[in-house]
Amino acid sequence: MARIITISREFGSGGREIGKRLADVLGIPYYDQEIIEEISKRTGYAEEYIKKISEKGITPYAIHLATSFSRYTSLENTQMEIIVAEQKVLKAIAKKGDAIIVGRVANEVLKNYNPMNIFVYADMKSKIKRCREKKPEEQYTDKQLEKKIKKIDKDRKEYYELISNNKWGDKTSYDLCINTSNVQIKSIIYPIARYIDNWFDSNE
Amino acid sequence: MARIITISREFGSGGREIGKRLADVLGIPYYDQEIIEEISKRTGYAEEYIKKISEKGITPYAIHLATSFSRYTSLENTQMEIIVAEQKVLKAIAKKGDAIIVGRVANEVLKNYNPMNIFVYADMKSKIKRCREKKPEEQYTDKQLEKKIKKIDKDRKEYYELISNNKWGDKTSYDLCINTSNVQIKSIIYPIARYIDNWFDSNE
């Protein structure tokens, strides 16, 4: 069976960097932009628009979609349409073979493919520091940056919990939870890659 | 600074085995029986009695100990005496040098020593399986075993939250959370050992 690795992450925790570096070390394809392109092809929406909507919170109305489709606004319909396309794209990727996927509730959407699921998190101080290093051109105060980080994670949580019955970040949904506070991402890639290798070998 | 590794764990998750194996691989002393012996020396209580009380839930009365010592029963006084001795023993160990300590709220008690803190957990099915493999002579039904596991973890949680302001098992209190469901403990020791090495190097 293909080796599917999903990485959920708090904003600023370095989860995306971990995903990309693991892909290099393990020689497993990392999917990100390709997912957006494929959703765009399937739905006809612009890539920029899809990026804006993906992993965003959704109005509670949309949760009841199944009951009465006609009651929803155009935005909510669009959001649901993109979610459905995203799930199809993720499954198509998993069918193709090994994959590393960051975010997108992939651990839940692909659970029939026995993925190894990782959650990456960190304390606020480390997340702020990492955001500053990544985008030194941004002129936020610490307070503004903290607010931004919390808002993005609130959106991710809402998006996750719309699709999953589990709580976003609850360790029982993940096989390994990595705290990147005060940790250099580079220095932990090799041990995580070995952990993943051995985890799959031990599960087969 | 000494390398202190603390391992908190759900009952049946294999946390103790991980601790012992890591000690072998890393060449770091693993403390367990020595802690009991030292508490016994310091308090005069029998080792068997200390084992019985350690990591057990404590009646809520004892939480208010500071207010009025005289109101407590003899058992509660004993429990508090053992907790105090345990904390002193843990700190004496940390002062001596590198150490691996399983349980005993060591991550909180030793936080000034910058420990690396690991939490080990698993789903109920895996925990039951592991308990059966460890003690095949026990005649529990699955239901009885599940009840026993839950009771022990409830005790650990109460004991932890008596000493710490944080929640037992909350991932933010740990540097790495390892889900051992369907995992062979042996197969993950080497990557965890490398992770610990690199974590300390990256933190120094």
Side-chain angles (χ1 to χ4, degrees), chain B residues 161-183:
Chain B
E161 292 173 9
L162 178 78
I163 293 168
S164 166
N165 289 324
N166 300 315
K167 279 193 175 170
W168 183 72
D170 177 350
K171 68 182 186 304
T172 57
S173 298
Y174 308 97
D175 299 295
L176 194 66
C177 300
I178 300 167
N179 186 340
T180 57
S181 307
N182 306 314
V183 168

Side-chain angles (χ1 to χ4, degrees), chain A residues 121 169 171 177 184 187 198 202, chain B residues 121 169 171 177 184 187 198:
Chain A
Y121 61 107
K171 68 182 186 303
C177 301
Q184 285 175 23
S187 72
N198 295 7
S202 151
Chain B
Y121 61 106
K171 68 182 186 304
C177 300
Q184 285 177 24
S187 73
N198 295 9

Side-chain angles (χ1 to χ4, degrees), chain A residues 1-7 28 31 90-91 93-101 106-107 110-118 175 196 199-200:
Chain A
M1 192 177 264
R3 295 186 165 195
I4 310 296
I5 299 147
T6 76
I7 299 178
I28 291 181
Y31 292 91
L90 290 179
K91 284 173 187 167
I93 288 171
K95 264 182 209 149
K96 265 203 327 201
D98 296 353
I100 295 182
I101 298 159
N107 60 321
L110 300 179
K111 63 181 166 200
N112 291 340
Y113 295 84
N114 299 324
M116 181 180 164
N117 304 312
I118 296 177
D175 298 295
I196 292 169
W199 186 91
F200 276 108

